[in-house]
Amino acid sequence: MTLAAATELATATNEHLANISNTLVYSAMAVYTLAFFAYIAEWLFGSRSKVARTAAALTARTEGAQAKAPAVTVKPAGGTAVLERPKVVVRSAAGARDVPDGPGAHGGDQQGDLYGRIAVSLTVLAFLVELCGVLARAASVERAPWGNMYEFNITFSTVAVGVYVALLALRKNVRWLGLFLTTTVLLDLGLAVTVLYTASDQLVPALHSYWLYIHVSTAIFCGAVLYVGAVSTLLYLFKDSYENKLVAGGKPGTFATSVLERLPASASLDKFAYRVNAAVFPLWTFTIIAGAIWAESAWGRYWGWDPKETWAFITWVAYACYLHARSTAGWKGRKAAYIALIAFGCWLFNYYGVNLFVGGKHSYAGV
């Protein structure tokens, strides 16, 4: 076989693999859509009958302007009658309450739970299909599949779902995250295949380095984990407001009650978000250091305040402030949560805003 024929065959093979990758990504989107509707069904069929204890733990029945004292029960103790008042749940610490977690999106309903299990199964299937699509893209370009924003997007959504599936496999109570995750993944993939799509191509010489595998892969993983933390933080703010309203004797709306009473308690959401962000922060630090080392290899300097570098550092500072705030008594709870959301907003701008609207040395990869 001549060199020209071999080159033509390789090009045709790569184009075929690229087409397979595109087909698999679209197929994954279709399965994610089915999972999305299954999660919707889980929430719709979820019963609220088993979560009234959350409201009962936070509120006391009132009669006019005076609150009634909790009823007492009589327990026989030998020949003596003992009056025992039920335990009254109070604020155990600043920003936290000792209240039970909700049962989940299914609300304890068997039919809702069935739809939830179907949704998880579809999510796992979509994850495997999308993963095959990412691998096919890698084979078509004969390199790591994150050389441009399209490849970064499909890889990012795959890793985000992978983190969710891994947490489920570890028996963590995160199935409530499924609806929010599939919604975001569908938006992410829709943006990737319409606005950000880039045909398979080779990298510019500066990107031909093993640091591509180290720096970009850790950045993708960090972004996926930080996304999980951001969703948890946002839900914490809603759940905390819901609990505050119940404590004040207010009556939240029907929709808010139906959704929020099934989520974990605000303290659980806050703790989960903090643990996720704290666990990935050292890896984000390593990502920035790895990028600086790669920059020295590619451009002859470790740091040049390129827009991407600047916003990566701003993101690092924001999350460092969040973690520091969590260790300071006056900045726990909602105040720290606002910092966490601002920090994730910096991460989003670093990815989308800088890449699309700000020029710099990192722009050569294209969209």
Side-chain angles (χ1 to χ4, degrees), residues 277-294:
N277 290 328
V280 79
F281 182 73
L283 189 59
W284 180 248
T285 304
F286 170 78
T287 301
I288 296 176
I289 295 173
I293 296 174
W294 188 12

Side-chain angles (χ1 to χ4, degrees), residues 45-88:
F45 285 96
S47 170
R48 291 163 42 197
S49 60
K50 296 185 179 182
V51 294
R53 63 184 185 276
T54 302
L58 292 172
T59 59
R61 296 184 179 277
T62 58
E63 186 174 299
Q66 300 293 327
K68 293 176 61 180
V72 297
T73 57
V74 180
K75 294 181 64 178
T80 305
V82 179
L83 299 180
E84 182 184 76
R85 292 186 182 276
K87 293 182 179 179
V88 179

